[in-house]
Amino acid sequence: MAATCEISNVFSNYFNTMYSSEDPPQAPVPSAAAPFGANDLVVTLNNQQMPLESTEKASWSGEPPQLWSKAQVLDWISYQVEKNKYDASTIDFSRCDMDGATLCNCAPEELRLVFGPLADQLHSQLWDLTSNVTDELSWIIELLEKDCVAFQETLGDPGSFDQGSPFVPEVLDDGRQPSPYYPGSYGSGTPSPGSSDVSITGTGTPQSSHSSDSGSSDVDLDPSDGKLFPSDGFLDYKKGEPKHGKRKRGRPRKLSKESRECLEGKKSKHAPRGTHLWEFIRDILIHPELNEGLMKWENRQEGIFKFLRSEAVAQLWGQKKKNNSMTYEKLSRAMRYYYKREILERVDGRRLVYKFGKNSSGWREEEISGSRS
DNA sequence: TTTTGGTTTCCTGTTT
DNA sequence: CAAACAGGAAACCAAA
């Protein structure tokens, strides 16, 4: 039960944050490659007090603007006004009496008449929302639904998660409690905005040659792939071997009794290449509103960061790769391979702490803001 | 079809 | 003692 609620919260909050955290005033955004204005989030880094509390769901969040009611439109406008510290007295609210569809049809000039200088901001936000919501939404909803089923089935079997459920908040090592929700922002397959645009604007490092593939949309959940977390028990699947024919990637696990249970018909298809692990990590880090409790910067300038909830991050990565047996141990092995490639540098003596290396990109504030202009 | 990059999995040993 | 860290080895898979 707790787990189910947790994951629901995760995604609710994911929506809230993703769809409510639009462009800050200082940076309007041509982020075609940045789904749901992901880059926007970056610049709000220091704005800890978002107008909308992360735990509070905006009426309009998670819904395509075209479907907003008049009330939702007003909510959204109020939110924008507040977020941008805009002087609401200059807005003619009587002219805001429109539903989402009408709002979306407004030309920038019309918006300007009503909203003045805020209009461009609104228009750009609206554009982002309308163009980005759909795919992500369906992807995540599908994931959520399946997760719910799976988790509900899990509840009677507390031991199923040998790593412990990442959705149960842990006490952070700094003594803090993680946010009340599980910020599963990334796992939902954020199409790694930086992996395409940010990487390119980056340092022209070696990986940029293939970052196009890694940056391609990784919203790779084929809607027809209803077997992501099969309702007949992904937990069985997670421990087991895939269906006959193809073996699960990686070194074969030793056959356990759980494995054998899975021999019948559980999916084995792995996610197509998408975001690389380091990009996944980076993207969690550069969305501070979403990753609260998962990871944090130790030193943003130097690219030093720390895992706060290592197993949760690993689970999220596993979700993204459709591999529910991912653990921090395995994730960290992949991280260690990055040392050689200088995507990461060692940080000796500090547990769960890593540092971006010279072959990484897209995490520096300059790069991020640079890619937006 | 083969090669290759990027993991994933497993393992043993070491360090914190 | 548990959790992380290290890094070798082997396997997998998608893309080139």
Side-chain angles (χ1 to χ4, degrees):
Chain A
M1 170 63 167
T4 309
C5 294
E6 278 285 347
I7 195 165
S8 299
N9 287 340
V10 167
F11 288 104
S12 298
N13 284 287
Y14 171 80
F15 290 135
N16 280 341
T17 319
M18 275 312 204
Y19 301 129
S20 65
S21 303
E22 278 88 335
D23 258 0
Q26 66 268 41
V29 201
S31 56
F36 25 78
N39 281 352
D40 307 346
L41 299 174
V42 172
V43 196
T44 58
L45 235 173
N46 299 320
N47 183 8
Q48 296 303 315
Q49 285 304 316
M50 295 296 285
L52 185 68
E53 289 302 322
S54 58
T55 50
E56 180 186 336
K57 191 173 177 67
S59 63
W60 48 269
S61 68
E63 261 195 77
Q66 293 92 335
L67 302 180
W68 289 347
S69 65
K70 290 178 179 180
Q72 285 172 306
V73 168
L74 278 172
D75 263 7
W76 179 71
I77 292 168
S78 306
Y79 168 76
Q80 292 292 336
V81 165
E82 192 178 339
K83 193 185 77 171
N84 292 291
K85 303 279 183 283
Y86 189 77
D87 180 7
S89 65
T90 64
I91 294 179
D92 181 1
F93 275 90
S94 67
R95 300 175 71 171
C96 299
D97 185 39
M98 59 177 104
D99 60 21
T102 313
L103 178 67
C104 291
N105 286 331
C106 281
E109 303 76 50
E110 294 174 65
L111 289 174
R112 239 172 259 130
L113 284 174
V114 182
F115 302 107
L118 187 60
D120 290 338
Q121 172 74 16
L122 294 182
H123 187 259
S124 139
Q125 290 317 302
L126 207 51
W127 177 258
D128 280 354
L129 286 173
T130 52
S131 55
N132 294 318
V133 162
T134 322
D135 285 349
E136 283 302 313
L137 203 59
S138 56
W139 193 95
I140 292 158
I141 286 171
E142 187 168 350
L143 183 62
L144 174 57
E145 284 169 352
K146 285 168 183 154
D147 265 353
C148 282
V149 171
F151 270 95
Q152 274 158 2
E153 291 180 357
T154 312
L155 301 180
D157 180 14
S160 295
F161 264 104
D162 49 348
Q163 297 299 325
S165 167
F167 304 106
V168 176
E170 307 155 3
V171 176
L172 305 180
D173 58 345
D174 57 5
R176 247 172 355 107
Q177 277 292 117
S179 60
Y181 60 92
Y182 174 66
S185 65
Y186 202 97
S188 26
T190 303
S192 183
S195 29
S196 47
D197 56 345
V198 179
S199 295
I200 289 166
T201 54
T203 54
T205 50
Q207 86 281 4
S208 60
S209 62
H210 56 250
S211 63
S212 57
D213 86 278
S214 62
S216 63
S217 170
D218 58 355
V219 180
D220 50 21
L221 179 59
D222 181 353
S224 65
D225 184 7
K227 302 188 293 295
L228 174 55
F229 298 141
S231 57
D232 49 345
F234 83 84
L235 288 165
D236 287 344
Y237 143 71
K238 103 185 176 82
K239 278 288 169 193
E241 296 294 322
K243 211 194 257 212
H244 328 289
K246 286 189 176 178
R247 297 172 63 181
K248 196 171 167 69
R249 69 179 309 181
R251 181 172 169 167
R253 286 179 224 162
K254 285 187 172 171
L255 205 59
S256 62
K257 55 178 180 287
E258 300 109 302
S259 322
R260 284 189 295 272
E261 288 168 10
C262 304
L263 282 175
E264 58 244 77
K266 300 302 184 288
K267 52 142 289 190
S268 68
K269 198 177 93 184
H270 269 266
R273 280 259 114 54
T275 307
H276 296 156
L277 173 60
W278 72 269
E279 293 170 313
F280 168 83
I281 297 297
R282 174 199 65 195
D283 290 346
I284 289 177
L285 281 162
I286 65 179
H287 297 155
E289 297 86 359
L290 301 174
N291 82 54
E292 188 188 348
L294 280 184
M295 304 178 69
K296 69 172 184 182
W297 288 108
E298 292 271 290
N299 185 325
R300 178 68 197 262
Q301 280 65 47
E302 293 183 31
I304 300 173
F305 59 92
K306 179 174 187 174
F307 284 82
L308 298 176
R309 298 173 64 207
S310 53
E311 287 300 338
V313 174
Q315 286 288 324
L316 217 44
W317 174 238
Q319 263 184 46
K320 183 172 165 51
K321 302 294 287 289
K322 302 177 190 173
N323 171 5
N324 286 285
S325 63
M326 180 50 62
T327 63
Y328 175 72
E329 186 182 357
K330 290 185 269 194
L331 181 150
S332 65
R333 179 69 191 98
M335 296 284 278
R336 290 194 294 275
Y337 273 124
Y338 288 145
Y339 293 143
K340 208 162 201 169
R341 296 163 59 198
E342 296 185 280
I343 287 169
L344 292 179
E345 288 176 26
R346 284 204 158 75
V347 176
D348 289 324
R350 303 212 48 206
R351 289 183 159 209
L352 302 171
V353 175
Y354 297 80
K355 178 182 181 182
F356 284 117
K358 63 182 182 190
N359 288 337
S360 64
S361 63
W363 53 268
R364 295 174 189 86
E365 285 168 297
E366 313 88 77
E367 288 178 83
I368 294 161
S369 53
S371 73
R372 299 162 53 87
S373 53

